[in-house]
Amino acid sequence: MAANPLFEHVKGIINISDDQIRDSLEGAQLKLQNARGSDVTIFSPRASWMEHHVGNQSTSKYWTEHCNDLIYRITQLYPQNFIGAAQLPQSPAADLTASAAELERCVTELGFVGYNLSPDPSGGYWTAPPLDDRYWYPIYEKMSELNVPAMIHVSGCCHRCFHTTGSHYLGQIPPHSNN
């Protein structure tokens, strides 16, 4: 029997300096903000890199905390430019207890104003219940309690025949009607 059959992880440390964060933003997002004349951006994880389908609930929990902690650091380095929106530790076949807890942490401790919600944490296998199923109620109740919106956005695609954008968005466009 394996010593860790559930593959429980520890959070670990990501060594990214404030200077590295500044270097990555000043030639990209901040440059675009200045060029376009925008004043503030809601900064959230890149949806296709949330990787809900990779690993298990433990993997997702710590990956999500690292991502949200980095977003928080960005909002602290550039408070006039960025406001945080959270990633949730969704994982295939997992309940939403960890997601509700992370949403609460991000809103109450980190000052985030919203979050990304993936209707398909399986990464393209569409094994989660539809968004109107009671399965989703814990996260809906938490978002209502905290008065924050969700951006519904899938994270990735496991099916080798489809690209994330094509399978989740372009493939959903209804045919043009000649009526």
Side-chain angles (χ1 to χ4, degrees):
M1 179 177 230
N4 188 0
L6 298 177
F7 300 101
E8 295 293 325
H9 303 282
V10 294
K11 187 172 181 180
I13 298 170
I14 292 182
N15 291 317
I16 299 174
S17 70
D18 287 352
D19 286 338
Q20 289 172 305
I21 292 172
R22 285 186 193 97
D23 288 345
S24 72
L25 293 172
E26 289 178 2
Q29 284 94 341
L30 286 171
K31 182 179 174 183
L32 291 172
Q33 268 188 348
N34 291 331
R36 294 174 180 163
S38 64
D39 55 357
V40 69
T41 297
I42 298 175
F43 201 98
S44 71
R46 184 173 178 180
S48 63
W49 291 355
M50 291 190 296
E51 301 288 333
H52 299 302
H53 59 282
V54 174
N56 60 15
Q57 182 69 61
S58 178
T59 306
S60 189
K61 175 185 181 339
Y62 294 121
W63 170 245
T64 295
E65 288 178 5
H66 282 303
C67 290
N68 290 334
D69 291 345
L70 282 169
I71 290 169
Y72 176 71
R73 286 177 60 197
I74 289 166
T75 67
Q76 297 306 291
L77 289 170
Y78 299 98
Q80 70 282 5
N81 298 95
F82 298 111
I83 299 168
Q87 172 175 320
L88 299 180
Q90 295 177 255
S91 190
D95 68 24
L96 294 171
T97 304
S99 292
E102 182 64 5
L103 178 58
E104 183 162 15
R105 178 183 85 93
C106 287
V107 172
T108 61
E109 295 176 25
L110 307 182
F112 286 16
V113 298
Y115 68 100
N116 289 346
L117 179 67
S118 177
D120 179 31
S122 73
Y125 293 114
W126 292 99
T127 57
L131 288 174
D132 62 349
D133 190 271
R134 289 187 178 279
Y135 166 81
W136 298 98
Y137 284 17
I139 200 68
Y140 296 157
E141 290 166 356
K142 186 57 69 177
M143 75 183 273
S144 294
E145 174 189 325
L146 297 169
N147 195 29
V148 293
M151 181 172 112
I152 298 173
H153 201 307
V154 296
S155 66
C157 189
C158 291
H159 196 286
R160 65 188 182 110
C161 293
F162 298 108
H163 178 273
T164 299
T165 303
S167 63
H168 293 304
Y169 300 106
L170 300 178
Q172 302 301 317
I173 297 171
H176 183 59
S177 172
N178 290 329
N179 295 337

